[in-house]
Amino acid sequence: MTKLGRLDSLLDARDLQSVWFARPNSFAWLTGGNNVVDREGDVGVAAVGYDGDALRVVTDNIEAPRLRDEELPDDIAVAEYEWYEGSLAEGVAARAATPAAADFDVPGFESVDASTLRRPLTDEDAAAYRELGGETAAAVEAICRELTPDDTEREVASALRGALDSRGIETPVALVGGSDRAQRYRHYTPTDAELGDYALVSVTAERAGLHASLTRTVAFDPPEWLEARHRAAARVETTALAATQQVGIDGGTGGDVFAEIQSAYEGVGHPDEWQRHHQGGAAGYAGREWIATPTTDDDVRLPMAFAWNPTVRGAKSEGTVLVSEDGMELLTETGRWPTDAVSAVGFEGSLPRPGVLER
């Protein structure tokens, strides 16, 4: 079903005349444009609405010219209000066909959660994802190949952000853990600590609303256990991907996939590691559209991107993969990083997963 077809179904099911979206990920999902000025805000500077006929955007007179010229397709009309006369919510309320719903607070409007509308991905989403995943991996790997043991975590994170920014890609998450902190913390937010014997580099990157996540491991003088733990994490990730495809075909939930992840940790000899970090989940117009837990009841809908990120103390395996009933497409791969054929636990077949780059 097309995106507008999904909105038509929503309008019919809830007896609405229009629906509006101002949160940046859903604004991008519908328009391909960016409504963000202040990155700290949950709501952007413009809202896009649909009334069963066409999309249109409401924003103030400050933003309207730029959005028309640089962010929006020509077929999306833009209505503007004077910035000093009211808020975005008031601008939408004055122009919307009612009854209406919105993904932000508009007086008198019902609430709508756009996450389910954004799943599964469309063919256009998948095409954009391929470009984002490839460019993100290329940028991260280029930085990783130049690392030295005396680089600091913060220097590496800055280089990652710069490399991605030069490609028009935002970096909501940039984690860099040297050999000390990567063993102590699962979210190794960068500090002035030097990398030391090895490093984990993890990013979540965003462009046009889509999010791609990956981790790369670089070793200079690796501890003897690193390869085995990395391999264990990669086997859990491969199991999660195989389970995702099967559960999606069978019509199951994220909780069903999580049960297979737990079994995989048991199978690789680290039965308690799943308790120490979230395992990831569906990706798309959010870093994770949902995160799997033992009780997750979100349906596994295909085709969809998934970013599973299992960890075994000091090691992590993570990438973004487009999973369909017919196969898996590794979005955050370049073909220029060492890989290993990794088998799943309890499922047939294997997948190439990024290995440890030794420098």
Side-chain angles (χ1 to χ4, degrees):
M1 185 182 293
T2 66
K3 294 178 182 180
L4 295 188
R6 297 177 197 181
L7 296 184
D8 284 328
S9 296
L10 173 70
L11 295 178
D12 289 343
R14 295 180 56 175
D15 197 23
L16 299 170
Q17 292 299 308
S18 65
V19 61
W20 294 82
F21 304 92
R23 295 186 182 276
N25 50 0
S26 292
F27 186 92
W29 172 66
L30 281 173
T31 70
N34 184 354
N35 70 342
V36 176
V37 172
D38 180 356
R39 295 182 185 178
E40 291 187 349
D42 293 330
V43 175
V45 296
V48 58
Y50 180 68
D51 61 3
D53 182 29
L55 295 173
R56 62 172 174 150
V57 165
V58 172
T59 190
D60 63 33
N61 64 305
I62 302 172
E63 307 300 336
R66 179 180 61 83
L67 293 179
R68 289 192 187 98
D69 293 344
E70 298 180 351
E71 296 292 346
L72 298 173
D74 292 339
D75 60 348
I76 297 183
V78 178
E80 60 185 275
Y81 60 90
E82 301 299 325
W83 68 267
Y84 51 84
E85 291 184 346
S87 65
L88 178 60
E90 291 169 330
V92 168
R95 292 163 177 81
T98 56
D103 72 344
F104 67 118
D105 188 16
V106 180
F109 282 28
E110 297 179 21
S111 177
V112 62
D113 179 0
S115 179
T116 57
L117 295 169
R118 300 192 297 259
R119 309 194 303 263
L121 296 175
T122 66
D123 290 343
E124 292 78 10
D125 293 332
Y129 233 140
R130 292 183 186 101
E131 294 185 7
L132 172 63
E135 290 184 43
T136 298
V140 172
E141 291 176 4
I143 298 299
C144 286
R145 290 190 191 95
E146 301 300 321
L147 298 183
T148 64
D150 57 356
D151 288 331
T152 70
E153 297 168 344
R154 193 163 282 140
E155 288 170 341
V156 177
S158 178
L160 290 167
R161 293 189 184 98
L164 289 163
D165 186 65
S166 70
R167 292 165 167 82
I169 300 171
E170 301 284 346
T171 316
V173 178
L175 303 178
V176 181
S179 55
D180 173 50
R181 296 181 66 254
Q183 296 178 60
R184 290 192 286 135
Y185 308 115
R186 305 298 162 125
H187 286 157
Y188 26 86
T189 53
T191 70
D192 288 329
E194 293 184 353
L195 299 183
D197 292 341
Y198 80 100
L200 300 184
V201 176
S202 303
V203 303
T204 294
E206 179 270 327
R207 184 170 63 192
L210 289 168
H211 292 68
S213 299
L214 63 88
T215 292
R216 294 291 183 266
T217 306
V218 182
F220 312 105
D221 184 18
E224 62 181 13
W225 48 260
L226 178 61
E227 183 64 36
R229 292 185 192 177
H230 178 85
R231 181 79 176 191
R235 289 200 72 197
V236 176
E237 186 200 10
T238 303
T239 305
L241 289 165
T244 297
Q245 184 180 49
Q246 190 59 58
V247 170
I249 292 171
D250 294 343
T253 68
D256 297 324
V257 179
F258 196 86
E260 297 294 344
I261 291 173
Q262 290 175 298
S263 295
Y265 272 110
E266 181 87 28
V268 299
H270 298 278
D272 299 326
E273 284 291 296
W274 66 267
Q275 301 175 35
R276 296 180 172 91
H277 185 238
H278 81 77
Q279 302 301 303
Y285 285 88
R288 300 293 188 274
E289 294 282 9
W290 49 259
I291 289 176
T293 72
T295 59
T296 296
D297 59 3
D298 290 271
D299 294 332
V300 175
R301 303 182 66 188
L302 306 179
M304 192 67 197
F306 291 85
W308 299 107
N309 48 258
T311 60
V312 175
R313 184 183 175 189
K316 182 178 182 180
S317 186
E318 176 185 27
T320 305
V321 179
L322 180 63
V323 181
S324 68
E325 293 188 9
D326 300 322
M328 300 186 196
E329 186 173 351
L330 309 177
L331 298 175
T332 49
E333 309 296 325
T334 64
R336 299 187 295 276
W337 189 267
T339 61
D340 300 306
V342 178
S343 61
V345 177
F347 293 85
E348 294 183 359
S350 64
L351 286 174
R353 304 310 303 131
V356 177
L357 177 69
E358 295 199 23
R359 288 182 41 75

